[in-house]
Amino acid sequence: METGQSIHINSIRNPELKSYRVMAAGLDAFNDYHALASGAREVRFKLVAGSRAPADAMQDLALRIAGNETSIALPLAADGSFTLPRSAQADSEDADLVTNKKKGNYRWQPSIHSDGVPAGMRRLGDLRLQCQVTVAIAKKEIPFWIRTLVGTLLRTTDWCASEQLKMHTRSDQAIASATLLDGERRIALQVEKEGRSFLSPIGDTRYGDDTLIELLYQPDTAGAPPAAP
């Protein structure tokens, strides 16, 4: 099956790729836990250049679903994000999401944003749903013994519900501070990786899904293009 524009990547040796079935587990998690962010229309996935990637890693980047008979182009937005369609054929063929770039310079991340969230804010329920999508994908990739070990350490099969799980949320722009707004209280959250990520209390049931996190960006990067994480 051919859908959309043809993308020629067969000549790339050892390309960056991801199993379609693995990524589809993220779609399942989005549906299963959608109540956490009912205002989110979809889950988008992002290809993010790593810190050691070449400067042109995102330039001319292309992506498609490739199987024995399947070839589906996946248009990439300017920020490297895309939507993943359901495809029974891609699933049955155990197809892959394949780029036209070499392996090892990218990370795959979900991105979920509810409608109506003010600029410079993140909604806690959105981050919880992002966590569920991330964990669903990870559980499909890691060995059974690691899943068992993590579940034992966290004392639950719902990893995102554990206060012990620390999950970073990446920011495209460097942030100066991240503050959780709980009524009249302002709770400073930990900012890491030179302002490129922050830690949010996704497993803390004291805070509802509609709780907002205020992000203040570093003034020298507010108008600059995103840097590699």
Side-chain angles (χ1 to χ4, degrees):
M1 178 174 62
E2 185 77 29
T3 302
Q5 181 181 354
S6 176
I7 302 173
H8 301 286
I9 65 175
N10 294 334
S11 61
I12 301 296
R13 297 185 61 183
N14 195 26
E16 180 71 35
L17 56 80
K18 202 84 160 177
S19 164
Y20 176 83
R21 290 177 180 172
V22 165
M23 296 297 287
L27 298 180
D28 294 337
F30 179 80
N31 291 336
D32 292 342
Y33 295 94
H34 194 207
L36 293 170
S38 57
R41 303 181 190 182
E42 62 185 4
V43 54
R44 294 187 67 84
F45 296 99
K46 295 181 70 172
L47 276 164
V48 179
S51 57
R52 298 182 181 180
D56 63 349
M58 301 302 292
Q59 184 177 343
D60 299 323
L61 180 63
L63 179 67
R64 69 180 172 105
I65 301 174
N68 293 333
E69 301 293 334
T70 303
S71 181
I72 305 174
L74 300 179
L76 293 174
D79 64 353
S81 68
F82 63 95
T83 57
L84 183 65
R86 293 281 189 181
S87 172
Q89 183 171 330
D91 182 81
S92 67
E93 293 180 6
D94 195 14
D96 291 311
L97 277 69
V98 187
T99 73
N100 61 338
K101 300 284 187 174
K102 288 187 177 180
K103 187 177 181 65
N105 290 320
Y106 303 89
R107 287 186 288 174
W108 306 69
Q109 299 176 345
S111 179
I112 296 172
H113 295 265
S114 290
D115 292 341
V117 176
M121 298 278 191
R122 293 303 310 268
R123 181 179 174 276
L124 195 57
D126 294 3
L127 302 184
R128 286 170 172 157
L129 185 51
Q130 270 186 203
C131 178
Q132 293 292 351
V133 172
T134 299
V135 167
I137 291 172
K139 285 182 175 181
K140 292 284 284 187
E141 291 186 301
I142 61 180
F144 174 78
W145 71 269
I146 295 182
R147 297 199 304 271
T148 302
L149 177 61
V150 174
T152 300
L153 292 174
L154 297 180
R155 299 180 181 180
T156 178
T157 57
D158 186 357
W159 298 358
C160 297
S162 172
E163 291 191 44
Q164 299 179 65
L165 181 67
K166 303 298 182 183
M167 181 161 285
H168 300 266
T169 299
R170 183 182 180 275
S171 174
D172 287 336
Q173 297 176 348
I175 53 178
S177 65
T179 306
L180 185 140
L181 308 180
D182 180 34
E184 298 299 320
R185 299 175 64 203
R186 297 176 59 86
I187 303 167
L189 302 179
Q190 186 174 346
V191 175
E192 298 186 333
K193 298 183 179 180
E194 299 181 346
R196 292 298 172 182
S197 70
F198 62 94
L199 292 177
S200 56
I202 58 175
D204 195 329
T205 57
R206 292 177 298 174
Y207 307 119
D209 292 333
D210 288 329
T211 300
L212 294 178
I213 296 171
E214 178 186 66
L215 303 178
L216 294 182
Y217 299 104
Q218 296 180 18
D220 58 336
T221 64

